[in-house]
Amino acid sequence: MDPDPTAAAVTEPAAPGPWGPPPPPPAARPPVRRLLAPLGTLAGVAAAFAYVGTVDPNEPGHYPVCPLLRFTGIYCPGCGGLRSAHAVVHGDLGAALGANALAVVGYGVFAVVMVLWLIRAARGRSMRLAIAPVWWWGIGAVLVLFTLVRNLPFGAALAP
């Protein structure tokens, strides 16, 4: 006898896998809980900037000297970063750029990423930064080039 084409197909429930049934989807987290990580990160960075803004890195004895500068006389890409942060806290963008222009760019990139993270967290979406290896190589090349230029006579304007 042929099966009736008008009859509804009966499907059996899917058998559980070797580890049991799949877990239920995660429940939506409340907004305050979603914002804890970005706001905590922002609070930590704000506290660090407040400290550097209060304790002047231009006065000797407050912070350790860069070991690369101390032992070789070469400015690393981070040399002048604390003085740059101090100037940013006090609203002196010219002095910040003079101390470490690359650090000022980094502060701007950090601010943009923080705003995106806060917006995504408020909307209940996760924040995941996946940077391709070519970008990491590009960042490394920029750091090496910045270090090289700031230590040569014609790049003295980039030295702290």
Side-chain angles (χ1 to χ4, degrees):
M1 180 171 198
D2 292 329
D4 184 12
T6 59
V10 177
T11 59
E12 295 183 26
W19 297 283
R29 295 185 335 191
V32 172
R33 182 136 166 122
R34 290 191 308 245
L35 292 172
L36 277 178
L39 289 177
T41 302
L42 193 57
V45 171
F49 267 82
Y51 180 79
V52 171
T54 305
V55 180
D56 191 358
N58 294 307
E59 295 177 17
H62 291 288
Y63 299 98
V65 177
C66 171
L68 185 67
L69 180 62
R70 182 177 195 158
F71 295 120
T72 66
I74 296 173
Y75 294 116
C76 76
C79 282
L82 288 174
R83 289 186 292 271
S84 174
H86 181 79
V88 166
V89 169
H90 291 279
D92 190 356
L93 188 60
L97 288 168
N100 191 327
L102 196 59
V104 175
V105 171
Y107 305 150
V109 169
F110 176 80
V112 168
V113 169
M114 280 305 305
V115 167
L116 290 174
W117 191 11
L118 283 166
I119 289 171
R120 291 182 66 87
R123 293 181 178 170
R125 301 173 77 190
S126 64
M127 179 73 172
R128 182 165 185 225
L129 290 176
I131 300 175
V134 69
W135 284 99
W136 286 115
W137 283 102
I139 292 168
V142 166
L143 289 172
V144 168
L145 185 63
F146 180 71
T147 302
L148 181 66
V149 170
R150 78 188 315 204
N151 284 290
L152 293 174
F154 63 86
L158 294 175

